[in-house]
């Protein structure tokens, strides 16, 4: 049973350790954290000095990272061979020297630099995921006493805390590097989209214009070839328009009309446009709109047409013959809602958010059977969000998908700062 006074001292030490944990949790300033750790190591183990050394893989030696009482050490390194710290690091085991003054294993260069005498020493490895990354040492137990088991436990706890702090800082710095790189790549992607859509527009316009002219001028036997050129150019035009839509959104140049239109009529129009394709694919396509409510929405009819068109086109693409597609529109508490439901191939639940990212396709573009650039849903999302609405997908692989978007029926009043909505 420990003496009451030693129990009191132990309690105080525990409290100090707890305080350090709190400090560690509240700051990411690594030098400050390591300094706090060595300062406390000195006090809690009643030593004259303490230090944290980290292994430098480039030089193959230990470098002082934080020291208490021997600031000059920050310029000194310790070799792995011929030093106690090197032994502790190499064996990943603690070491205690009660009489270090004549021990040949002590690296004397440090003492000589500082005109300091190492009399006793307690050292523990700094372990990160069981791998040694450095060493923590307490030097010269005060009043010529011996280091105890308690001192060892304290130094090991402090070393564990230093390892966590170092790990956090390294992870944070890696995260920042990756984040900077991602931002740079994203910027490059946006620039590429903007440049490509702008530079392709003019030559394509010329190809289309001349092909349309030539179709009238060439003998009828070449009409079929001319049609192929015109159809393919029109397909390219759609792709370039999709890219420009994205570029405008990125550059904050999207303009949204603010006109009342009937969402119910729009849904019927889009469904009618796809009836022939659905019939060709032997897919049942129907719609369900309220009988007595045109579902008036204030916004840009053309842009919402793109949303419904992309959803219905996808449903037709990813549903096999014999399947069904239903488009439903309804009003609910000031919002209009549109659902596009199909009995197609479905989407794995882990992908239902990512499919709205640009260029994202569930199947790799190298192996997939369907065309497309992975832009349709990201454009739909951009259009819905420009109207302050929301879009999402619920799906079960192999069973079918449900896409839904909502729009406020009354567009929010444009704030002076917002340049998105334009009055018609
Ligand atoms: P794409 O034009 O390439 O189809 P989208 O952005 O429109 O690009 O869609 C992204 C991906 O989401 C598609 O490639 C497909 O994998 C998946 N997807 C979209 N709609 C459906 C659907 N109704 N059923 C199954 N998968 C779908």
């Amino acid at each position: 049973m420990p003496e009451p006074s030693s129990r009191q001292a132990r309690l105080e030490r525990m409290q100090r350790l707890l305080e350090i944990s709190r400090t560690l949790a509240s700051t990411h300033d690594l030098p400050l954290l390591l300094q706090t750790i060595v300062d406390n190591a000195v006090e809690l183990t009643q030593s004259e000095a303490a230090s944290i050394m980290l292994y430098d893989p480039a030089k193959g030696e230990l470098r002082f990272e934080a020291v208490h009482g021997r600031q000059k050490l920050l310029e000194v390194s310790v070799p792995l061979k011929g030093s106690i710290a090197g032994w502790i690091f190499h064996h990943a085991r603690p070491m205690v020297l009660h009489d270090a003054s004549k021990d040949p294993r002590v690296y004397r260069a440090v003492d000589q630099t500082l005109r300091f005498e190492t009399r006793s020493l307690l050292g523990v490895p700094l372990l990160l995921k069981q791998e040694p990354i450095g060493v923590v040492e307490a030097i010269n137990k005060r009043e010529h006493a011996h280091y105890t088991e308690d001192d060892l436990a304290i130094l090991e706890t402090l070393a564990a805390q230093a390892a966590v702090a170092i790990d956090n800082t390294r992870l944070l710095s890696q995260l920042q590097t990756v984040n900077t790189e991602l931002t740079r790549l994203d910027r490059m992607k946006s620039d590429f989209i903007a440049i490509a859509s702008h530079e392709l527009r003019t030559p394509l316009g010329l190809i289309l214009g001349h092909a349309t002219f030539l179709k009238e001028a060439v003998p009828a036997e070449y009409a079929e070839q001319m049609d192929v050129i015109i159809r393919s150019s029109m397909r390219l035009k759609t792709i370039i328009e999709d890219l420009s839509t994205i570029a405008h959104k990125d550059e904050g140049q999207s303009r949204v009309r603010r006109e009342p239109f009937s969402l119910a009529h729009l849904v019927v129009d889009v469904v009618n446009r796809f009836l022939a394709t659905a019939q060709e694919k032997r897919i049942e396509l129907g719609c369900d709109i309220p009988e007595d409510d045109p579902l008036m929405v204030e916004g840009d009819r053309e842009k919402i047409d793109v949303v419904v068109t992309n959803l219905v086109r996808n449903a037709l693409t990813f549903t096999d013959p014999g399947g069904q597609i239903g488009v439903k529109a309804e009003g609910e508490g000031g919002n209009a809602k549109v659902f596009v439901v199909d009995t197609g191939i479905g989407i794995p639940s882990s992908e239902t958010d990512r499919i709205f990212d640009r260029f994202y396709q569930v199947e790799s573009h190298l192996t997939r059977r369907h065309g497309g650039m992975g832009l349709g849903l990201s454009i739909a999302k951009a259009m819905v969000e420009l109207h302050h609405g929301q879009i999402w997908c619920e799906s079960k692989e192999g069973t079918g998908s449900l896409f839904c978007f909502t729009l406020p029926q009354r567009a929010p009043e444009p704030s002076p700062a917002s340049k998105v909505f334009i009055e018609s």
Side-chain angles (χ1 to χ4, degrees):
M1 192 72 182
E3 293 289 306
S5 64
S6 86
R7 275 222 321 258
Q8 181 64 25
R10 262 188 149 173
L11 205 67
E12 278 172 17
R13 288 169 152 194
M14 297 299 291
Q15 270 169 350
R16 285 294 287 276
L17 283 175
L18 257 171
E19 268 167 38
I20 301 167
S21 305
R22 281 194 209 110
T23 316
L24 284 177
S26 64
T27 171
H28 289 296
D29 182 343
L30 187 62
L32 176 73
L33 288 175
L34 298 185
Q35 191 59 48
T36 311
I37 288 172
V38 285
D39 292 348
N40 279 284
V42 163
E43 273 203 48
L44 293 173
T45 62
Q46 291 159 328
S47 303
E48 285 177 8
S51 56
I52 293 179
M53 284 166 257
L54 289 186
Y55 179 61
D56 180 348
K59 293 196 175 139
E61 55 191 21
L62 290 161
R63 225 172 353 88
F64 284 95
E65 206 62 36
V67 291
H68 177 102
R70 302 181 297 167
Q71 294 305 321
K72 253 186 146 183
L73 278 184
L74 290 173
E75 293 136 37
V76 182
S77 352
V78 176
L80 287 191
K81 276 200 177 137
S83 73
I84 298 282
W87 188 94
I88 296 170
F89 176 81
H90 186 69
H91 293 86
R93 275 174 37 204
M95 180 182 269
V96 56
L97 289 183
H98 295 306
D99 181 9
S101 53
K102 297 204 174 59
D103 198 306
R105 292 171 298 176
V106 174
Y107 182 59
R108 297 286 165 199
V110 171
D111 282 4
Q112 280 152 18
T113 312
L114 300 174
R115 293 203 190 94
F116 182 91
E117 192 202 356
T118 300
R119 294 189 311 275
S120 58
L121 179 153
L122 176 64
V124 297
L126 197 61
L127 299 172
L128 192 60
K129 298 179 186 101
Q130 265 105 52
E131 285 297 314
I133 57 162
V135 174
V136 183
E137 283 182 348
I139 310 281
N140 293 354
K141 179 88 177 169
R142 281 191 209 133
E143 292 164 14
H144 298 274
H146 280 181
Y147 282 113
T148 62
E149 286 292 318
D150 267 5
D151 293 330
L152 177 62
I154 284 169
L155 211 59
E156 279 181 329
T157 309
L158 290 172
Q161 286 172 331
V164 170
I166 291 164
D167 197 26
N168 283 346
T169 312
R170 285 182 182 173
L171 288 176
L172 197 70
S173 132
Q174 278 168 8
L175 207 66
Q176 276 161 351
T177 313
V178 172
N179 200 22
T180 312
E181 181 62 359
L182 276 180
T183 311
R184 192 182 70 81
L185 289 175
D186 209 46
R187 182 72 242 166
M188 277 175 72
K189 196 161 85 177
S190 295
D191 287 350
F192 172 75
I193 294 171
I195 294 166
S197 62
H198 186 258
E199 292 301 314
L200 292 176
R201 191 185 286 273
T202 313
L204 186 68
L206 289 172
I207 294 172
L208 251 178
H210 285 272
T212 316
F213 166 78
L214 279 177
K215 192 185 167 203
E216 303 302 320
V218 297
E221 59 195 286
Y222 297 117
E224 207 180 304
Q225 279 87 344
M226 292 314 299
D227 277 342
V228 172
I229 296 177
I230 293 170
R231 260 205 319 277
S232 305
S233 307
M234 290 302 286
R235 172 82 195 110
L236 268 180
K237 189 165 174 264
T238 316
I239 293 174
I240 292 168
E241 275 164 7
D242 282 356
L243 290 173
S244 319
T245 307
I246 296 272
H248 284 151
K249 169 90 184 353
D250 281 352
E251 289 158 8
Q253 286 178 3
S254 308
R255 294 284 179 272
V256 179
R257 270 177 204 292
R258 197 173 180 215
E259 275 175 333
F261 67 88
S262 160
L263 187 64
H265 293 168
L266 185 152
V267 164
V268 174
D269 284 353
V270 175
V271 168
N272 283 340
R273 238 184 279 148
F274 281 103
L275 278 179
T277 319
Q279 222 168 6
E280 265 170 44
K281 266 195 93 175
R282 287 193 297 107
I283 290 172
E284 206 180 297
L285 170 64
C287 72
D288 177 6
I289 53 165
E291 266 175 28
D292 48 356
D293 183 359
L295 285 178
M296 296 307 290
V297 168
E298 261 181 5
D300 198 318
R301 191 186 196 281
E302 237 177 79
K303 291 192 164 47
I304 300 307
D305 190 305
V306 170
V307 179
V308 183
T309 299
N310 288 357
L311 295 183
V312 175
R313 189 192 293 121
N314 278 350
L316 278 163
T317 306
F318 297 102
T319 302
D320 287 330
Q324 287 147 13
I325 298 170
V327 187
K328 181 178 172 164
E330 64 180 25
E332 189 190 271
N335 284 314
K337 257 182 169 178
V338 176
F339 301 86
V340 178
V341 187
D342 65 57
T343 57
I345 61 169
I347 299 159
S349 52
S350 57
E351 312 263 4
T352 48
D353 284 338
R354 297 195 63 190
I355 51 171
F356 293 97
D357 291 349
R358 29 186 95 157
F359 301 111
Y360 192 80
Q361 298 176 323
V362 174
E363 268 183 84
S364 151
H365 70 280
L366 296 173
T367 54
R368 62 193 242 125
R369 289 165 292 151
H370 312 284
M373 302 235 300
L375 284 179
L377 289 179
S378 63
I379 290 177
K381 185 168 190 258
M383 299 296 121
V384 169
E385 286 176 352
L386 283 171
H387 284 80
H388 302 275
Q390 285 175 325
I391 185 165
W392 68 93
C393 163
E394 289 163 25
S395 183
K396 203 162 172 216
E397 214 176 347
T399 309
S401 310
L402 175 150
F403 283 84
C404 178
F405 71 89
T406 62
L407 299 174
Q409 291 191 261
R410 266 192 67 79
E413 286 305 316
S415 67
S418 156
K419 292 194 225 126
V420 172
F421 271 103
I422 51 164
E423 303 289 338
S424 53

